[in-house]
Amino acid sequence: MSGLDINQYISEQWSPEHDPEGWMWELEPWSEERARQLAQEQGIELTEQHWDVIRFLRDRYLREGQAKSGRHVLEALEQRFDSEGGKRYLYTLFHHGPVTQGSIIAGLPLPAYTADPGFGSSE
């Protein structure tokens, strides 16, 4: 993170849920039960393979914070799950995108640029 600027504290974009640079102070309450509910809403029945991806996404977020873009997250996922088949494998688990659907189910904010309908969809 870069140094803080007092102007960021008083800008309209600062809120009590985020620090002046836009990082979330805390994640919303999340549990495996909540993940199952979110997955069901996404049309996914969670398997151990899904949980591996979800845990990876949560651990990565807690270690590194919000990614600059969905591409960074996808690259990290591809590298981690390369031995299982990389991107192809990930899309068999999350048909509408491992970053988008994975982040939603993991209870994480979507990385920048993933709200674009063209990002992360195999359709």
Side-chain angles (χ1 to χ4, degrees):
M1 270 190 220
S2 62
L4 299 178
D5 180 347
I6 191 64
N7 293 319
Q8 290 176 320
Y9 277 108
I10 58 175
S11 76
E12 292 177 20
Q13 296 188 14
W14 183 80
S15 71
E17 296 87 28
H18 297 83
D19 73 12
E21 293 182 326
W23 297 90
M24 292 177 64
W25 291 117
E26 295 181 21
L27 294 177
E28 293 198 19
W30 180 89
S31 66
E32 289 190 3
E33 181 57 37
R34 179 68 179 135
R36 285 184 197 91
Q37 291 170 344
L38 292 166
Q40 185 177 13
E41 291 170 12
Q42 294 285 315
I44 296 173
E45 185 175 333
L46 295 177
T47 65
E48 191 56 40
Q49 291 79 15
H50 290 96
W51 284 112
D52 289 342
V53 175
I54 292 165
R55 288 182 193 113
F56 175 82
L57 288 169
R58 287 188 62 83
D59 290 345
R60 183 186 185 286
Y61 184 89
L62 293 173
R63 272 191 332 272
E64 301 176 23
Q66 180 73 326
K68 294 195 184 283
S69 76
R71 299 259 179 245
H72 289 105
V73 177
L74 184 58
E75 289 171 4
L77 282 166
E78 286 180 282
Q79 184 177 14
R80 163 58 183 87
F81 293 96
D82 182 57
S83 63
E84 287 89 347
K87 188 189 290 189
R88 182 168 292 192
Y89 168 75
L90 293 164
Y91 275 89
T92 64
L93 298 173
F94 301 96
H95 297 289
H96 295 287
V99 175
T100 304
Q101 282 187 308
S103 294
I104 290 169
I105 295 167
L108 302 172
L110 292 178
Y113 311 113
T114 55
D116 179 339
F119 179 85
S121 176
S122 60
E123 297 177 359

